[in-house]
Amino acid sequence: MERTRVFSGVKPTGHLTLGNYLGAMRRWAEVDQHRSEALFCVVDLHALTVDHDPARVRRLSRQAATLLLAAGLDPELCTLFVQSHVDEHARLSYLLECVAADGEMRRMIQYKEKAAREQRRGGSVRLSLLTYPVLMAADILAYGTDEVPVGDDQTQHVELTRDLAVRFNQRYGHTFVVPKATPPKVAARVMNLQDPLSKMGKSDDSGPGIVYLLDEPEVVEKKVMRAVTDSGRGVVYDPQERPGLANLLEILAACQGGNPEALGGVYESYGALKKDTAEAVVELLRPVQARHRELCADPAYVEGVLRRGAEKARLMARPRVDAAYRAIGLLPA
């Protein structure tokens, strides 16, 4: 019986956060790499869709790969690589652009949000920002992926991937597996501690509301203790009416493996909840940070993992991408 194939990735547009870890990375390490044939990727091409510093993208790409290993990804169990090291991603992306429609791209929520942000800053909106969901689809479809473990903010992109796979198969013959999104049950979307209506995003500028994976313990404690809560009496789990409080309860529940609704009845004060949440986050991150320091002292090991991962990924992706080229009508080389 063939194992389920899983693909997911992180974008090196900022330092990885508690949201990245609780929403994705921990599950990849504890569950996905053990139960499936898993591929995890630093999707560096996606970092080029907005204005960027080339040296920073390289630095953050290396840091992201190192943190994925520190979080528990085992190159003996999974394939870890950098997107730009495998040409099949870009090759397949163009074919899928020839299947996608302009209207589909412009309906993507993240495109609308990021384009508006760029315009407010006075910058121009790059074409790649519009088309990057197609590149994301290529990332997934190149490997015959069955499942894509993502936070709920990415499920729209997985739905687009499914649509493109079905459309390509119908027009040109069965080529792609149609994948499905598998979001985690708790803390699928950790919110900003200062703005609980916004995701804790790594490319956000509001640092005080974001816990980074490499934050020192005292910094973590300060950020959590200063988290925005909501007016109202008692500690109750109500994401709609009291999102700040709900965010803290979800973070604590995710750290401890508990239930945020049940935890709401345990606390009599915001201060006690914040203190316990801060301590739980510090303890959660402690082994990740320790392993990260070890890996930074051995950069050759990380480079070797990425090189071998890219070689393995290339061998997995090339036959399917070559088949897509033939199916769509291109002469073989």
Side-chain angles (χ1 to χ4, degrees):
M1 181 178 178
E2 288 189 8
R3 300 173 76 195
T4 299
R5 185 167 291 180
V6 166
F7 177 95
S8 201
V10 293
K11 185 164 56 174
T13 50
H15 299 287
L16 295 179
T17 73
L18 178 67
N20 297 124
Y21 184 72
L22 291 178
M25 294 165 62
R26 183 173 64 171
R27 176 180 167 182
W28 298 350
E30 294 180 355
V31 178
D32 291 319
Q33 68 174 346
H34 296 282
R35 71 173 179 86
S36 60
E37 186 175 20
L39 298 100
F40 301 110
C41 183
V42 178
V43 287
D44 54 343
L45 294 175
H46 291 292
L48 311 184
T49 60
V50 294
D51 189 37
H52 64 278
D53 172 17
R56 185 170 186 265
V57 170
R58 283 190 290 270
R59 186 170 64 251
L60 289 175
S61 296
R62 179 182 295 275
Q63 184 186 88
T66 306
L67 277 168
L68 287 170
L69 290 169
L73 291 189
D74 183 346
E76 298 298 319
L77 297 175
C78 68
T79 304
L80 176 62
F81 64 104
V82 176
Q83 179 190 31
S84 63
H85 295 176
V86 180
D87 292 345
E88 278 62 33
H89 292 252
R91 288 180 61 209
L92 181 55
S93 182
Y94 181 73
L95 294 197
L96 295 179
E97 284 186 17
C98 297
V99 176
D102 176 76
E104 287 177 308
M105 299 298 99
R106 296 187 187 279
R107 285 194 295 271
M108 293 289 109
I109 294 170
Q110 288 208 5
Y111 168 71
K112 293 178 181 179
E113 293 175 349
K114 292 180 179 180
R117 191 180 307 145
E118 283 297 308
Q119 289 168 342
R120 285 195 300 271
R121 291 172 177 171
S124 59
V125 178
R126 299 184 180 189
L127 180 61
S128 56
L129 185 62
L130 178 66
T131 60
Y132 96 88
V134 178
L135 176 57
M136 181 176 171
D139 299 337
I140 296 165
L141 296 179
Y143 297 100
T145 303
D146 299 296
E147 296 182 11
V148 188
V150 291
D152 59 7
D153 61 316
Q154 291 290 337
T155 53
Q156 187 185 34
H157 291 158
V158 180
E159 286 303 312
L160 173 71
T161 301
R162 289 171 55 84
D163 291 342
L164 294 179
V166 169
R167 193 176 305 154
F168 191 102
N169 290 345
Q170 289 175 341
R171 290 181 181 176
Y172 306 113
H174 185 79
T175 307
F176 298 116
V177 174
V178 181
K180 65 177 181 179
T182 53
K185 294 178 181 177
V186 178
R189 197 177 192 195
V190 178
M191 310 307 281
N192 189 300
L193 295 175
Q194 292 298 315
D195 179 10
L197 297 180
S198 299
K199 185 182 74 166
M200 187 182 283
K202 58 184 175 295
S203 54
D204 199 325
D205 295 328
S206 54
I210 303 170
V211 175
Y212 296 103
L213 294 186
L214 297 178
D215 276 347
E216 295 293 335
E218 58 272 19
V219 174
V220 173
E221 183 177 355
K222 184 182 294 185
K223 289 178 177 179
V224 175
M225 294 304 292
R226 293 180 177 177
V228 169
T229 49
D230 318 282
S231 59
R233 299 184 63 182
V235 178
V236 294
Y237 180 67
D238 186 345
Q240 297 300 317
E241 298 298 324
R242 304 176 72 179
L245 201 54
N247 189 38
L248 288 173
L249 288 166
E250 288 196 356
I251 291 171
L252 180 59
C255 289
Q256 297 181 339
N259 180 289
E261 195 165 353
L263 283 172
V266 172
Y267 293 92
E268 296 182 358
S269 71
Y270 295 161
L273 170 62
K274 288 181 175 181
K275 182 175 182 295
D276 282 1
T277 302
E279 290 177 357
V281 172
V282 167
E283 289 307 310
L284 183 77
L285 298 184
R286 193 182 303 280
V288 176
Q289 294 178 352
R291 179 60 177 150
H292 178 264
R293 287 191 292 272
E294 293 174 359
L295 290 165
C296 285
D298 189 5
Y301 171 75
V302 177
E303 291 171 3
V305 167
L306 296 178
R307 183 174 59 254
R308 290 187 296 273
E311 291 169 356
K312 185 178 176 182
R314 204 174 294 123
L315 289 173
M316 295 169 71
R318 184 164 294 165
R320 184 170 282 100
V321 175
D322 285 347
Y325 268 59
R326 291 192 299 272
I328 206 168
L330 300 177
L331 282 173

